[in-house]
Amino acid sequence: APAAAQIIVESLVWLQNAGRIRLMGFAVMPDHVHLAFVLLEGSSESRPEGRSHNDRLAKVMNSFKGFTVKRIKEVLQYNGGIWQDGYYDHLVRDEKDFRTRLDYMHANPTRKGLVQFEEQYEFSTANPKHQSLVDWNWLLGVEPVAPGRALPQ
């Protein structure tokens, strides 16, 4: 349902704005979700002493799933299951690997026949209204330019 997909998108943006993840891409499909994000080190929750990467990832995923289940059930008056247990994760090795996975993610709605062109799918970072959520400057190691400042020569 579009309302459920919108709740999922809003939840991802919230996680990013709360400093828990750097959102790098998504495609919210009718029966599954593709996500690309970076766990942020800076938040006090993201790396308590002794907490491993897998523990931090599980905490973010559990938070995301728990919140979206609650909201979807409230908004849609739905009582069934929403998420399967667990998730599949992949450590992105480099920019090429990231671009390959992002392309796969963005192409999913066209492969499934939902739209003709990736940019047409409303619940994806391929769509112009969500493209700005992909932080290419961070990926490429470029510092963002503050408004009114010139790029270094």
Side-chain angles (χ1 to χ4, degrees), residues 75-88:
V75 170
L76 300 179
Q77 301 295 301
Y78 179 73
N79 291 320
I82 295 180
W83 298 111
Q84 294 178 352
D85 290 339
Y87 48 87
Y88 174 77

Side-chain angles (χ1 to χ4, degrees), residues 2 4 6 8 15 23 32 36 39 44 55-56 59-60 68 78 82-84 87 96 102 105 112 117 121 131 142:
Q6 187 59 42
I8 292 168
L15 283 169
L23 187 56
H32 66 282
L39 291 170
S44 59
D55 289 342
R56 292 184 302 124
K59 186 169 177 130
V60 166
T68 55
Y78 179 73
I82 295 180
W83 298 111
Q84 294 178 352
Y87 48 87
K96 181 181 179 200
L102 187 64
M105 190 183 314
K112 299 292 184 186
F117 301 105
Y121 193 64
Q131 286 175 350
V142 176

Side-chain angles (χ1 to χ4, degrees), residues 4 8 14 16 23 28 32-33 42 51 76 82-83 85 92 103 106 113 117 127 135 144 152-153:
I8 292 168
W14 182 87
Q16 177 165 273
L23 187 56
V28 181
H32 66 282
V33 176
R51 188 170 289 262
L76 300 179
I82 295 180
W83 298 111
D85 290 339
V92 174
D103 289 347
H106 285 166
F117 301 105
N127 185 289
D135 191 344
Q153 297 296 325

Side-chain angles (χ1 to χ4, degrees), residues 46-58:
S46 70
R47 190 169 209 148
E49 233 11 77
R51 188 170 289 262
S52 74
H53 169 82
N54 288 340
D55 289 342
R56 292 184 302 124
L57 177 59

Side-chain angles (χ1 to χ4, degrees), residues 2-54:
Q6 187 59 42
I7 289 167
I8 292 168
V9 171
E10 290 168 1
S11 300
L12 293 169
V13 172
W14 182 87
L15 283 169
Q16 177 165 273
N17 291 341
R20 297 188 65 193
I21 65 169
R22 181 178 305 275
L23 187 56
M24 299 302 292
F26 61 82
V28 181
M29 302 296 292
D31 60 353
H32 66 282
V33 176
H34 292 273
L35 303 174
F37 62 84
V38 175
L39 291 170
L40 292 179
E41 304 280 341
S43 85
S44 59
E45 277 190 331
S46 70
R47 190 169 209 148
E49 233 11 77
R51 188 170 289 262
S52 74
H53 169 82
N54 288 340

